[in-house]
Amino acid sequence: MSSAELSESPSRLAVGQAGRILLLEGEDLLREMLALALKEQGYEVVVTSDGPGALPSVQASSSYPGEFAFNLLIMDSINGLDLCRMLRHQGNPVPILIIGARGSANNCAFYLEAGSDDYLTKPFGMREFIARCRALMRRVRLVGQLSQPVMLQYKSITLYPEECRVLVRGIEVKFSPKQFRLLELFMSNPRRVWSRDRLLEKIWGHDFIGDSKTVDVHIRWLREKLEIDPSQPEYIITVRGFGYRFG
């Protein structure tokens, strides 16, 4: 499967489908069997044998915080290790199931430490395989129902509200409290246009005495930390005559 095919929009997930799964498996016959078993259970399955080519598709997210292209990633142990480590380093929380060949008893612990959520050793039955997939996705749904969101993500920016921590292209970047609150507000409301006065009210408070250009200064500081080229911003966009929007 080509990288162009893998980069399809994640919006294909329809009401009534069980979820959207990326299946990365190098063995042709096994890949076909697993994909068929998943499709019979109502899952939408994107298949590939190309680990590096799968990365852009896995990293894709919608314009809404915390939404990702897939509900589950299934990867063979040969192709999946580096991809698993990279995604966890970037803060991507999508559950990962690693399929590994029978071998050392330490294999399972090795991949779990790398960031996978479960490890399944070949050979295995389809009933066990489907049960593992369901359990991983059910666990994520329950966590989402019982707790507050623990992260906000938009493209290559990941923000952890409870930890006051931000990753930009996988690297942790330090922000002042005002900068952090401003970025959190933007990421919680993607594409909403904020006037300077409204941003002052939300971040600095009703009692703030000062110039509205304070907002412009903080926007400039944010862009210097977020944007590859601050003069051509990708994230914080100026809407002439109105204010600023994120995304």
Side-chain angles (χ1 to χ4, degrees):
M1 186 173 188
S2 69
S3 58
E5 290 173 292
L6 269 173
S7 299
E8 293 175 353
S9 167
S11 62
R12 293 175 54 199
L13 187 60
V15 175
Q17 288 183 316
R20 193 167 193 253
I21 296 174
L22 174 71
L23 173 60
L24 170 57
E25 170 57 55
E27 296 182 25
D28 293 343
L29 180 58
L30 179 59
R31 186 172 63 247
E32 292 176 6
M33 292 174 59
L34 296 179
L36 179 60
L38 291 167
K39 289 176 182 177
E40 288 178 347
Q41 298 299 314
Y43 297 105
E44 179 185 355
V45 185
V46 176
V47 298
T48 182
S49 59
D50 178 14
L55 184 59
S57 180
V58 175
Q59 289 176 319
S61 62
S62 75
S63 37
Y64 297 95
E67 290 190 4
F68 296 88
F70 297 97
N71 305 103
L72 174 66
L73 310 178
I74 302 170
M75 302 186 283
D76 63 40
S77 57
I78 296 175
N79 291 295
L81 180 60
D82 289 340
L83 187 58
C84 180
R85 284 173 170 164
M86 184 177 299
L87 291 171
R88 293 310 187 230
H89 180 70
Q90 294 174 345
N92 191 312
V94 175
I96 297 174
L97 170 62
I98 295 289
I99 298 175
R102 185 179 297 280
S104 168
N106 293 324
N107 275 355
C108 178
F110 180 71
Y111 283 95
L112 290 174
E113 288 173 358
S116 70
D117 297 276
D118 199 358
Y119 184 90
L120 187 59
T121 303
K122 302 175 186 176
F124 51 83
M126 286 300 167
R127 184 172 182 179
E128 179 184 7
F129 170 69
I130 294 298
R132 298 280 191 108
C133 294
R134 285 176 175 165
L136 285 174
M137 289 193 281
R138 183 169 60 247
R139 187 186 311 164
V140 171
R141 284 196 296 269
L142 286 173
V143 169
Q145 292 169 1
L146 297 176
S147 65
Q148 293 289 330
V150 295
M151 62 172 286
L152 299 170
Q153 178 147 355
Y154 185 86
K155 295 184 179 179
S156 61
I157 300 175
T158 307
L159 183 147
Y160 299 89
E162 296 178 0
E163 301 175 28
C164 298
R165 190 163 64 94
V166 180
L167 298 180
V168 181
R169 290 175 285 280
I171 299 174
E172 185 166 349
V173 177
K174 300 298 182 182
F175 292 84
S176 71
K178 285 287 194 298
Q179 292 169 10
F180 183 88
R181 290 182 58 205
L182 188 58
L183 179 59
E184 182 180 10
L185 179 66
F186 277 135
M187 293 186 69
S188 299
N189 300 273
R191 304 197 67 79
R192 172 174 173 173
V193 177
W194 296 89
S195 68
R196 290 176 179 82
D197 289 342
R198 186 62 174 150
L199 289 173
L200 283 173
E201 179 182 320
K202 295 288 287 186
I203 304 302
W204 282 264
H206 296 281
D207 299 330
F208 174 75
I209 300 175
D211 198 311
S212 64
K213 291 191 180 297
T214 298
V215 173
D216 299 333
V217 172
H218 279 73
I219 294 294
R220 176 166 56 82
W221 288 340
L222 280 181
R223 282 174 173 163
E224 289 174 353
K225 295 181 178 183
L226 300 176
E227 308 285 358
I228 295 176
D229 180 1
S231 65
Q232 299 290 328
E234 173 187 0
Y235 296 105
I236 303 178
I237 310 300
T238 300
V239 183
R240 302 250 178 231
F242 293 95
Y244 299 99
R245 67 174 170 81
F246 187 85

